[in-house]
Amino acid sequence: MIIDWGSFLAVALASLVSTCVVVGLYSLATRLLAAAGRAPQVDPVEFTDAITVVTPAEAAAAAKRARKAAKKNPLSDGQKRAALIGAYTCFTLCGAAVLYGIYLIVPYFHS
């Protein structure tokens, strides 16, 4: 059995580029979401028989800092709306890239 190194290199480069695109789109979308004033905040999780990840006091302090930072946002309402639309567009493109990758992998969809 002979390995076709050209095809192997093409697949490796396509995987690397597509991974960078998906991660880049997701990080840009998260950044735009934060710029729009809608930074994702996860509530603290309590596990049974485990250590609490974030105390309620720390969560309250983080929420207070987020509200204070939102008041200092220098963007106008139109700029915030544009950032929000850009974030949703990036999330959509990221999801479309993942779905296209699944389409390419699963032979049932294109046979």
Side-chain angles (χ1 to χ4, degrees):
M1 181 156 101
I2 298 175
I3 296 175
D4 183 8
W5 290 102
S7 297
F8 179 78
L9 183 62
V11 169
L13 286 176
S15 299
L16 182 65
V17 169
S18 62
T19 301
C20 289
V21 166
V22 169
V23 170
L25 283 172
Y26 188 83
S27 61
L28 178 63
T30 305
R31 175 66 182 103
L32 288 173
L33 206 59
R38 298 198 182 176
Q41 182 175 351
V42 178
D43 293 330
V45 177
E46 293 184 18
F47 301 99
T48 56
D49 298 331
I51 299 172
T52 302
V53 177
V54 178
T55 65
E58 290 172 339
K64 183 179 178 182
R65 284 192 306 270
R67 285 191 304 272
K68 189 176 181 181
K71 289 180 183 178
K72 292 182 180 179
N73 194 338
L75 299 179
S76 68
D77 288 338
Q79 290 171 327
K80 288 180 186 178
R81 192 174 313 111
L84 189 63
I85 291 170
Y88 289 152
T89 302
C90 287
F91 281 133
T92 302
L93 290 173
C94 185
V98 169
L99 289 176
Y100 183 66
I102 291 171
Y103 167 76
L104 290 176
I105 291 171
V106 178
Y108 175 77
F109 296 134
H110 52 82
S111 61

XYZ file of all heavy atoms in Angstrom:
814
model
N 0.837 -1.166 0.000
C 0.000 0.000 0.000
C 0.894 1.245 0.000
O 1.786 1.391 0.824
C -0.896 -0.018 1.237
C -1.816 1.144 1.299
S -3.253 0.795 2.293
C -2.830 1.609 3.786
N 0.616 2.142 -0.916
C 1.401 3.367 -1.059
C 0.564 4.544 -0.574
O -0.621 4.661 -0.890
C 1.812 3.582 -2.531
C 2.686 2.411 -2.980
C 2.528 4.897 -2.691
C 3.040 2.459 -4.431
N 1.203 5.414 0.178
C 0.515 6.595 0.703
C 0.670 7.733 -0.298
O 1.769 8.044 -0.737
C 1.100 7.004 2.062
C 0.859 5.902 3.080
C 0.497 8.317 2.535
C 1.499 6.149 4.421
N -0.437 8.345 -0.649
C -0.416 9.527 -1.521
C -0.191 10.749 -0.639
O -1.129 11.292 -0.040
C -1.738 9.635 -2.290
C -1.740 10.797 -3.267
O -0.676 11.427 -3.465
O -2.820 11.077 -3.825
N 1.060 11.172 -0.526
C 1.421 12.248 0.391
C 0.831 13.590 -0.028
O 0.560 14.452 0.817
C 2.934 12.343 0.533
C 3.490 11.170 1.283
C 4.122 10.079 0.761
C 3.398 10.954 2.683
N 4.443 9.196 1.750
C 4.013 9.713 2.956
C 2.861 11.671 3.736
C 4.105 9.188 4.241
C 2.960 11.150 5.018
C 3.580 9.919 5.255
N 0.595 13.786 -1.295
C -0.025 15.032 -1.749
C -1.448 15.174 -1.229
O -1.849 16.233 -0.734
N -2.203 14.093 -1.323
C -3.576 14.107 -0.808
C -3.580 14.230 0.711
O -4.417 14.929 1.288
C -4.310 12.837 -1.216
O -4.420 12.779 -2.616
N -2.643 13.546 1.342
C -2.536 13.635 2.795
C -2.254 15.071 3.230
O -2.875 15.584 4.167
C -1.431 12.701 3.292
C -1.235 12.731 4.776
C -2.102 12.061 5.618
C -0.184 13.434 5.338
C -1.928 12.086 6.980
C 0.001 13.468 6.703
C -0.875 12.790 7.535
N -1.360 15.745 2.548
C -1.026 17.131 2.863
C -2.214 18.054 2.598
O -2.479 18.972 3.382
C 0.191 17.583 2.048
C 0.700 18.986 2.325
C 1.163 19.119 3.762
C 1.822 19.335 1.371
N -2.945 17.803 1.528
C -4.123 18.627 1.216
C -5.184 18.502 2.306
O -5.782 19.510 2.731
C -4.702 18.221 -0.138
N -5.422 17.284 2.783
C -6.403 17.081 3.843
C -5.924 17.734 5.140
O -6.703 18.376 5.854
C -6.685 15.576 4.047
C -7.497 15.321 5.309
C -7.401 15.015 2.839
N -4.642 17.603 5.445
C -4.100 18.207 6.662
C -4.218 19.729 6.613
O -4.616 20.361 7.602
C -2.639 17.792 6.853
N -3.904 20.331 5.489
C -4.005 21.787 5.365
C -5.460 22.247 5.407
O -5.772 23.277 6.035
C -3.334 22.256 4.079
C -1.809 22.239 4.079
C -1.258 22.623 2.711
C -1.270 23.155 5.143
N -6.348 21.514 4.764
C -7.766 21.872 4.803
C -8.302 21.781 6.227
O -9.085 22.639 6.665
C -8.569 20.969 3.870
N -7.883 20.777 6.964
C -8.313 20.638 8.359
C -7.787 21.782 9.209
O -8.525 22.353 10.026
C -7.815 19.316 8.945
O -8.335 18.236 8.237
N -6.547 22.140 9.014
C -5.950 23.233 9.784
C -6.627 24.563 9.474
O -6.975 25.322 10.381
C -4.450 23.315 9.486
C -3.680 24.380 10.254
C -3.691 24.076 11.741
C -2.262 24.478 9.735
N -6.849 24.838 8.201
C -7.482 26.100 7.809
C -8.924 26.168 8.307
O -9.361 27.185 8.851
C -7.412 26.284 6.278
C -8.284 27.433 5.815
C -5.973 26.515 5.850
N -9.672 25.085 8.139
C -11.069 25.102 8.577
C -11.167 25.228 10.093
O -12.063 25.923 10.602
C -11.807 23.863 8.085
O -11.229 22.696 8.621
N -10.267 24.608 10.822
C -10.261 24.747 12.277
C -9.981 26.184 12.681
O -10.655 26.738 13.554
C -9.220 23.809 12.901
O -9.541 22.463 12.543
C -9.172 23.943 14.402
N -9.014 26.804 12.038
C -8.692 28.205 12.335
C -9.868 29.122 12.002
O -10.147 30.078 12.741
C -7.449 28.637 11.570
S -5.941 27.888 12.181
N -10.555 28.849 10.918
C -11.710 29.676 10.540
C -12.831 29.544 11.561
O -13.403 30.553 12.004
C -12.199 29.303 9.118
C -13.568 29.890 8.837
C -11.197 29.758 8.085
N -13.149 28.325 11.968
C -14.245 28.119 12.919
C -13.903 28.745 14.271
O -14.722 29.456 14.860
C -14.570 26.614 13.070
C -15.509 26.367 14.239
C -15.179 26.082 11.794
N -12.693 28.527 14.757
C -12.289 29.107 16.044
C -12.223 30.629 15.953
O -12.648 31.339 16.871
C -10.943 28.511 16.506
C -10.389 29.263 17.699
C -11.105 27.041 16.846
N -11.728 31.151 14.846
C -11.668 32.596 14.660
C -13.051 33.233 14.616
O -13.281 34.284 15.224
N -13.976 32.605 13.902
C -15.346 33.124 13.845
C -16.010 33.091 15.215
O -16.688 34.044 15.619
C -16.186 32.324 12.846
C -15.969 32.618 11.376
C -16.727 31.603 10.525
C -16.405 34.024 11.040
N -15.802 32.010 15.943
C -16.426 31.899 17.261
C -15.859 32.936 18.227
O -16.608 33.583 18.966
C -16.232 30.493 17.824
C -17.002 30.261 19.093
C -18.339 29.914 19.044
C -16.405 30.413 20.335
C -19.067 29.717 20.204
C -17.123 30.222 21.502
C -18.445 29.874 21.428
O -19.162 29.679 22.579
N -14.539 33.126 18.209
C -13.940 34.106 19.117
C -14.336 35.528 18.727
O -14.580 36.373 19.596
C -12.425 33.947 19.164
O -11.868 34.159 17.886
N -14.413 35.818 17.429
C -14.859 37.139 16.989
C -16.310 37.377 17.388
O -16.669 38.474 17.846
C -14.699 37.276 15.473
C -15.164 38.594 14.867
C -14.345 39.761 15.412
C -15.065 38.542 13.359
N -17.146 36.361 17.269
C -18.547 36.497 17.658
C -18.669 36.758 19.153
O -19.465 37.605 19.579
C -19.326 35.235 17.275
N -17.876 36.065 19.954
C -17.912 36.288 21.396
C -17.454 37.701 21.736
O -18.033 38.369 22.587
C -17.045 35.246 22.114
O -17.478 33.940 21.735
C -17.144 35.386 23.615
N -16.420 38.174 21.046
C -15.927 39.535 21.278
C -16.968 40.575 20.874
O -17.181 41.567 21.574
C -14.619 39.749 20.498
C -14.078 41.149 20.560
C -13.657 41.491 21.978
N -13.188 42.846 22.068
C -13.896 43.855 22.566
N -15.120 43.644 23.014
N -13.400 45.058 22.616
N -17.623 40.380 19.750
C -18.665 41.307 19.315
C -19.864 41.278 20.260
O -20.494 42.312 20.506
C -19.102 40.984 17.887
C -18.107 41.332 16.788
C -18.591 40.795 15.447
C -17.881 42.820 16.712
N -20.166 40.111 20.785
C -21.254 39.996 21.748
C -20.938 40.793 23.009
O -21.805 41.477 23.558
C -21.480 38.519 22.085
C -22.848 38.075 22.546
C -23.891 38.387 21.493
C -22.837 36.600 22.849
N -19.697 40.735 23.456
C -19.285 41.510 24.627
C -19.306 43.003 24.322
O -19.702 43.812 25.163
C -17.902 41.082 25.078
N -18.907 43.384 23.117
C -18.916 44.801 22.743
C -20.335 45.329 22.658
O -20.585 46.511 22.915
C -18.206 44.990 21.403
N -21.279 44.477 22.322
C -22.675 44.886 22.223
C -23.331 44.995 23.592
O -24.480 45.407 23.699
C -23.456 43.906 21.354
N -22.606 44.620 24.633
C -23.159 44.698 25.980
C -23.899 43.465 26.412
O -24.632 43.484 27.389
N -23.727 42.388 25.702
C -24.410 41.132 26.047
C -23.401 40.029 26.284
O -23.466 38.959 25.689
C -25.361 40.729 24.936
C -26.440 41.761 24.718
C -27.555 41.183 23.962
N -28.564 42.207 23.721
C -29.632 42.012 23.014
N -29.827 40.848 22.460
N -30.503 42.971 22.850
N -22.451 40.312 27.138
C -21.413 39.321 27.428
C -22.039 38.092 28.064
O -22.883 38.209 28.955
C -20.372 39.910 28.364
N -21.659 36.922 27.591
C -22.228 35.706 28.176
C -21.745 35.532 29.612
O -20.565 35.644 29.893
C -21.701 34.595 27.267
C -20.545 35.175 26.562
C -20.740 36.650 26.517
N -22.675 35.329 30.526
C -22.334 35.109 31.925
C -22.986 33.819 32.360
O -24.192 33.629 32.187
C -22.802 36.262 32.791
C -22.425 36.106 34.230
C -22.792 37.320 35.055
O -23.186 38.341 34.534
N -22.662 37.195 36.350
N -22.199 32.950 32.929
C -22.681 31.647 33.361
C -22.889 31.692 34.867
O -22.012 32.119 35.615
C -21.674 30.539 32.988
C -22.154 29.184 33.471
C -21.428 30.533 31.500
N -24.053 31.275 35.309
C -24.332 31.233 36.742
C -23.468 30.167 37.397
O -23.121 29.156 36.777
C -25.805 30.917 36.988
C -26.708 32.048 36.516
O -26.255 33.206 36.554
O -27.850 31.757 36.105
N -23.123 30.380 38.657
C -22.307 29.373 39.340
C -23.048 28.049 39.472
O -24.262 28.023 39.629
C -22.036 29.989 40.714
C -22.888 31.175 40.823
C -23.406 31.529 39.475
N -22.293 27.004 39.393
C -22.862 25.661 39.464
C -22.463 25.035 40.789
O -21.313 25.116 41.202
C -22.341 24.797 38.292
C -22.851 23.387 38.395
C -22.721 25.420 36.974
N -23.410 24.437 41.441
C -23.115 23.736 42.683
C -23.243 22.242 42.444
O -24.215 21.773 41.871
C -24.073 24.177 43.792
C -23.876 25.618 44.205
C -24.770 26.005 45.360
O -25.277 25.103 46.049
O -24.964 27.206 45.556
N -22.236 21.525 42.860
C -22.224 20.080 42.705
C -22.471 19.450 44.066
O -22.020 19.946 45.091
C -20.862 19.615 42.166
C -20.508 20.211 40.841
C -19.652 21.295 40.758
C -21.043 19.698 39.676
C -19.333 21.844 39.539
C -20.728 20.242 38.454
C -19.867 21.321 38.388
N -23.176 18.347 44.064
C -23.365 17.641 45.322
C -22.059 16.980 45.706
O -21.363 16.393 44.873
C -24.475 16.592 45.196
O -24.141 15.709 44.123
C -25.805 17.241 44.920
N -21.717 17.089 46.963
C -20.482 16.495 47.501
C -19.237 16.988 46.779
O -18.278 16.255 46.587
C -20.531 14.965 47.451
C -21.654 14.403 48.302
O -22.015 15.059 49.294
O -22.171 13.337 47.955
N -19.242 18.226 46.335
C -18.074 18.786 45.667
C -17.925 20.248 46.074
O -18.799 20.831 46.711
C -18.218 18.685 44.149
N -16.842 20.822 45.715
C -16.572 22.218 46.034
C -17.323 23.106 45.058
O -17.354 22.844 43.857
C -15.058 22.494 45.942
C -14.311 21.622 46.947
C -14.755 23.955 46.179
C -12.812 21.681 46.794
N -17.921 24.184 45.554
C -18.601 25.137 44.688
C -17.550 25.882 43.879
O -16.557 26.363 44.419
C -19.421 26.134 45.524
O -20.345 25.394 46.308
C -20.166 27.105 44.651
N -17.778 25.985 42.579
C -16.804 26.613 41.698
C -16.701 28.105 41.983
O -15.619 28.650 42.114
C -17.179 26.357 40.220
C -16.223 27.060 39.298
C -17.203 24.869 39.941
N -17.831 28.789 42.120
C -17.869 30.216 42.385
C -18.838 30.450 43.535
O -19.970 29.965 43.504
C -18.337 31.007 41.139
C -18.414 32.488 41.431
C -17.424 30.746 39.972
N -18.392 31.215 44.510
C -19.280 31.502 45.636
C -20.328 32.521 45.215
O -20.112 33.283 44.263
C -18.487 32.050 46.831
O -17.920 33.307 46.465
C -17.393 31.082 47.262
N -21.458 32.580 45.909
C -22.476 33.587 45.567
C -21.949 35.018 45.686
O -22.334 35.886 44.895
C -23.597 33.307 46.579
C -23.435 31.870 46.923
C -21.957 31.617 46.888
N -21.069 35.272 46.637
C -20.495 36.623 46.772
C -19.643 36.973 45.561
O -19.693 38.102 45.051
C -19.669 36.713 48.050
N -18.869 36.000 45.074
C -18.058 36.237 43.878
C -18.939 36.445 42.656
O -18.638 37.273 41.796
C -17.098 35.069 43.641
C -15.986 34.967 44.661
C -15.175 33.699 44.493
O -15.692 32.736 43.889
O -14.027 33.667 44.970
N -20.030 35.692 42.556
C -20.944 35.853 41.426
C -21.610 37.215 41.475
O -21.767 37.877 40.433
C -22.003 34.752 41.442
N -22.001 37.670 42.665
C -22.611 38.998 42.788
C -21.616 40.092 42.428
O -21.968 41.080 41.767
C -23.134 39.190 44.208
N -20.372 39.920 42.861
C -19.344 40.909 42.524
C -19.084 40.943 41.023
O -18.905 42.019 40.437
C -18.051 40.597 43.284
N -19.073 39.792 40.380
C -18.866 39.742 38.930
C -20.025 40.385 38.194
O -19.825 41.100 37.203
C -18.680 38.294 38.478
N -21.249 40.146 38.670
C -22.419 40.771 38.036
C -22.379 42.285 38.206
O -22.719 43.038 37.288
C -23.698 40.203 38.630
N -21.934 42.746 39.374
C -21.824 44.185 39.618
C -20.775 44.816 38.695
O -20.995 45.882 38.135
C -21.460 44.433 41.083
C -21.394 45.889 41.459
C -21.060 46.065 42.925
C -20.950 47.540 43.274
N -20.581 47.733 44.692
N -19.646 44.128 38.535
C -18.611 44.634 37.617
C -19.119 44.676 36.188
O -18.809 45.601 35.436
C -17.354 43.762 37.708
C -16.533 44.000 38.946
C -15.160 43.340 38.858
N -15.202 41.924 38.563
C -15.261 40.961 39.483
N -15.316 41.264 40.763
N -15.291 39.691 39.122
N -19.909 43.669 35.790
C -20.447 43.636 34.428
C -21.428 44.784 34.202
O -21.416 45.424 33.146
C -21.126 42.297 34.160
N -22.279 45.055 35.191
C -23.216 46.181 35.062
C -22.466 47.511 34.992
O -22.819 48.396 34.211
C -24.195 46.192 36.235
C -25.271 45.136 36.155
C -26.360 45.356 37.191
N -25.850 45.413 38.562
C -25.687 44.356 39.352
N -25.983 43.153 38.885
N -25.231 44.489 40.577
N -21.429 47.652 35.797
C -20.635 48.883 35.804
C -19.919 49.067 34.466
O -19.861 50.165 33.919
C -19.625 48.836 36.948
C -18.898 50.122 37.192
C -18.004 49.992 38.414
C -17.272 51.285 38.693
N -16.385 51.165 39.863
N -19.388 47.982 33.915
C -18.701 48.060 32.623
C -19.685 48.370 31.500
O -19.354 49.079 30.547
C -17.966 46.758 32.337
N -20.902 47.852 31.604
C -21.907 48.112 30.571
C -22.283 49.589 30.535
O -22.574 50.138 29.473
C -23.141 47.257 30.804
N -22.281 50.238 31.683
C -22.590 51.672 31.731
C -21.492 52.502 31.080
O -21.744 53.578 30.574
C -22.786 52.118 33.177
C -24.056 51.613 33.801
C -24.183 52.103 35.228
C -25.430 51.540 35.880
N -25.544 51.967 37.283
N -20.254 51.993 31.117
C -19.122 52.727 30.559
C -18.903 52.436 29.075
O -17.948 52.929 28.493
C -17.844 52.370 31.313
C -17.797 52.858 32.722
C -16.477 52.486 33.352
C -16.386 52.969 34.774
N -15.107 52.592 35.388
N -19.750 51.651 28.459
C -19.582 51.268 27.060
C -19.655 52.520 26.178
O -20.664 53.217 26.172
C -20.670 50.264 26.663
C -20.382 49.582 25.361
O -19.623 50.080 24.542
N -20.986 48.435 25.155
N -18.586 52.812 25.416
C -18.567 54.040 24.621
C -19.343 53.947 23.303
O -19.444 54.940 22.588
C -17.079 54.252 24.349
C -16.526 52.870 24.307
C -17.322 52.100 25.336
N -19.875 52.799 22.996
C -20.558 52.621 21.714
C -21.965 53.207 21.752
O -22.655 53.162 22.771
C -20.638 51.136 21.361
C -19.309 50.400 21.194
C -19.569 48.941 20.883
C -18.458 51.034 20.137
N -22.381 53.737 20.615
C -23.758 54.234 20.497
C -24.698 53.043 20.332
O -24.269 51.901 20.143
C -23.879 55.169 19.298
O -23.721 54.445 18.095
N -25.991 53.311 20.390
C -26.966 52.228 20.239
C -26.867 51.565 18.866
O -27.007 50.353 18.738
C -28.381 52.751 20.462
C -28.653 53.076 21.923
O -27.933 52.519 22.783
O -29.574 53.866 22.191
N -26.613 52.361 17.837
C -26.464 51.801 16.493
C -25.235 50.913 16.378
O -25.267 49.861 15.728
N -24.139 51.339 17.007
C -22.924 50.524 16.982
C -23.111 49.233 17.769
O -22.615 48.177 17.370
C -21.752 51.324 17.543
C -21.307 52.448 16.640
C -20.288 53.351 17.318
O -20.324 53.557 18.528
N -19.377 53.898 16.530
N -23.827 49.308 18.893
C -24.108 48.089 19.652
C -24.968 47.129 18.839
O -24.734 45.922 18.841
C -24.825 48.435 20.956
C -23.950 49.092 21.987
C -24.757 49.392 23.231
C -23.954 50.177 24.242
N -24.756 50.518 25.429
N -25.951 47.662 18.122
C -26.813 46.829 17.284
C -26.008 46.181 16.162
O -26.175 44.994 15.858
C -27.956 47.665 16.712
C -29.046 46.849 16.083
C -30.246 47.674 15.637
N -30.710 48.627 16.648
C -30.606 49.958 16.537
N -30.055 50.489 15.471
N -31.048 50.758 17.479
N -25.093 46.961 15.550
C -24.246 46.409 14.482
C -23.333 45.313 15.023
O -23.123 44.286 14.365
C -23.431 47.524 13.839
N -22.791 45.518 16.231
C -21.945 44.493 16.843
C -22.746 43.231 17.129
O -22.259 42.113 16.934
C -21.310 45.026 18.122
N -23.978 43.399 17.572
C -24.833 42.246 17.858
C -25.176 41.484 16.577
O -25.120 40.252 16.540
C -26.105 42.702 18.565
C -27.003 41.617 19.128
C -26.273 40.831 20.201
C -28.261 42.240 19.695
N -25.483 42.207 15.518
C -25.764 41.563 14.227
C -24.516 40.846 13.713
O -24.587 39.720 13.206
C -26.274 42.598 13.209
C -27.675 43.076 13.614
C -26.299 42.027 11.799
C -28.175 44.260 12.828
N -23.358 41.487 13.865
C -22.101 40.847 13.461
C -21.829 39.586 14.259
O -21.359 38.578 13.715
N -22.132 39.615 15.562
C -21.919 38.438 16.402
C -22.816 37.287 15.952
O -22.352 36.151 15.795
C -22.199 38.781 17.864
N -24.092 37.586 15.719
C -25.001 36.530 15.278
C -24.614 36.004 13.896
O -24.744 34.814 13.616
C -26.444 37.021 15.271
C -27.016 37.235 16.656
C -28.015 38.159 16.880
C -26.561 36.501 17.743
C -28.551 38.350 18.146
C -27.082 36.689 19.006
C -28.076 37.602 19.204
O -28.598 37.789 20.455
N -24.111 36.876 13.036
C -23.650 36.441 11.719
C -22.457 35.502 11.853
O -22.386 34.458 11.179
C -23.277 37.654 10.856
O -24.411 38.517 10.745
C -22.814 37.232 9.473
N -21.507 35.842 12.726
C -20.336 34.979 12.928
C -20.739 33.631 13.515
O -20.207 32.593 13.105
C -19.320 35.674 13.826
S -18.443 37.020 13.034
N -21.675 33.646 14.480
C -22.147 32.376 15.039
C -22.824 31.527 13.961
O -22.654 30.313 13.912
C -23.115 32.611 16.197
C -22.445 32.954 17.506
C -22.901 34.017 18.259
C -21.390 32.212 17.992
C -22.305 34.331 19.470
C -20.785 32.509 19.189
C -21.247 33.579 19.938
N -23.592 32.165 13.087
C -24.271 31.443 12.014
C -23.261 30.837 11.045
O -23.398 29.674 10.640
C -25.237 32.385 11.270
O -26.173 32.919 12.208
C -25.967 31.662 10.165
N -22.247 31.618 10.663
C -21.212 31.097 9.760
C -20.434 29.960 10.408
O -20.071 28.977 9.736
C -20.261 32.220 9.349
C -20.843 33.272 8.407
C -19.848 34.416 8.216
C -21.203 32.658 7.075
N -20.191 30.072 11.697
C -19.491 29.015 12.424
C -20.319 27.729 12.406
O -19.793 26.643 12.127
C -19.239 29.477 13.855
S -18.269 28.355 14.847
N -21.602 27.839 12.679
C -22.481 26.667 12.637
C -22.594 26.077 11.244
O -22.608 24.854 11.074
N -22.644 26.954 10.229
C -22.719 26.470 8.848
C -21.454 25.710 8.466
O -21.517 24.681 7.779
C -22.951 27.629 7.890
N -20.294 26.195 8.914
C -19.038 25.501 8.618
C -19.004 24.129 9.280
O -18.550 23.148 8.677
C -17.854 26.350 9.080
N -19.496 24.046 10.503
C -19.531 22.753 11.192
C -20.488 21.791 10.482
O -20.164 20.621 10.259
C -19.924 22.947 12.671
C -20.220 21.613 13.338
C -18.823 23.680 13.416
N -21.662 22.288 10.108
C -22.625 21.426 9.397
C -22.083 20.966 8.048
O -22.299 19.821 7.640
C -23.952 22.155 9.221
C -24.767 22.357 10.497
C -26.007 23.184 10.203
C -25.136 21.016 11.108
N -21.360 21.848 7.348
C -20.765 21.461 6.073
C -19.692 20.388 6.281
O -19.580 19.449 5.480
C -20.179 22.676 5.360
C -19.616 22.358 4.002
C -20.444 21.938 2.965
C -18.245 22.447 3.751
C -19.930 21.626 1.720
C -17.727 22.146 2.507
C -18.568 21.736 1.501
O -18.057 21.425 0.270
N -18.929 20.508 7.358
C -17.934 19.482 7.676
C -18.581 18.137 7.950
O -18.095 17.096 7.511
N -19.704 18.157 8.659
C -20.426 16.908 8.912
C -20.961 16.338 7.606
O -20.903 15.130 7.368
C -21.555 17.152 9.933
C -20.952 17.451 11.300
C -22.491 15.949 10.012
C -21.954 17.908 12.332
N -21.456 17.215 6.736
C -21.947 16.777 5.424
C -20.834 16.083 4.640
O -21.057 15.062 3.986
C -22.476 17.970 4.649
C -22.730 17.699 3.184
C -23.853 16.983 2.783
C -21.846 18.129 2.221
C -24.088 16.713 1.449
C -22.061 17.875 0.883
C -23.187 17.163 0.499
O -23.403 16.898 -0.820
N -19.628 16.636 4.701
C -18.520 16.043 3.955
C -18.070 14.708 4.540
O -17.626 13.815 3.819
C -17.330 16.998 3.936
C -17.490 18.257 3.089
C -16.274 19.152 3.245
C -17.708 17.907 1.637
N -18.201 14.558 5.846
C -17.728 13.346 6.511
C -18.698 12.181 6.335
O -18.295 11.042 6.110
C -17.465 13.614 8.007
C -16.260 14.529 8.165
C -17.246 12.328 8.773
C -16.039 15.019 9.575
N -20.003 12.443 6.438
C -21.009 11.376 6.419
C -21.383 11.075 4.962
O -21.982 11.906 4.289
C -22.247 11.790 7.233
C -23.308 10.695 7.180
C -21.866 12.105 8.665
N -21.053 9.894 4.467
C -21.313 9.579 3.067
C -22.812 9.434 2.734
O -23.190 9.565 1.577
C -20.584 8.266 2.837
C -20.242 7.726 4.148
C -20.320 8.840 5.128
N -23.645 9.186 3.711
C -25.078 9.024 3.464
C -25.682 10.280 2.835
O -26.599 10.193 2.034
C -25.772 8.684 4.777
C -27.279 8.607 4.666
C -27.894 7.481 4.100
C -28.093 9.641 5.092
C -29.261 7.400 3.986
C -29.467 9.575 4.988
C -30.049 8.454 4.438
O -31.415 8.367 4.317
N -25.171 11.462 3.201
C -25.735 12.722 2.739
C -25.413 13.042 1.280
O -26.103 13.844 0.661
C -25.272 13.877 3.628
C -25.755 13.775 5.032
C -24.901 13.996 6.089
C -27.089 13.473 5.324
C -25.345 13.929 7.402
C -27.547 13.388 6.623
C -26.657 13.618 7.659
N -24.368 12.493 0.730
C -23.987 12.846 -0.646
C -23.731 11.649 -1.536
O -22.981 11.715 -2.507
C -22.756 13.767 -0.646
C -21.615 13.258 0.149
N -20.725 12.340 -0.332
C -21.194 13.559 1.399
C -19.801 12.103 0.574
N -20.072 12.814 1.633
N -24.384 10.543 -1.247
C -24.216 9.375 -2.132
C -25.445 9.120 -2.961
O -26.453 9.701 -2.861
C -23.910 8.130 -1.286
O -24.969 7.853 -0.401
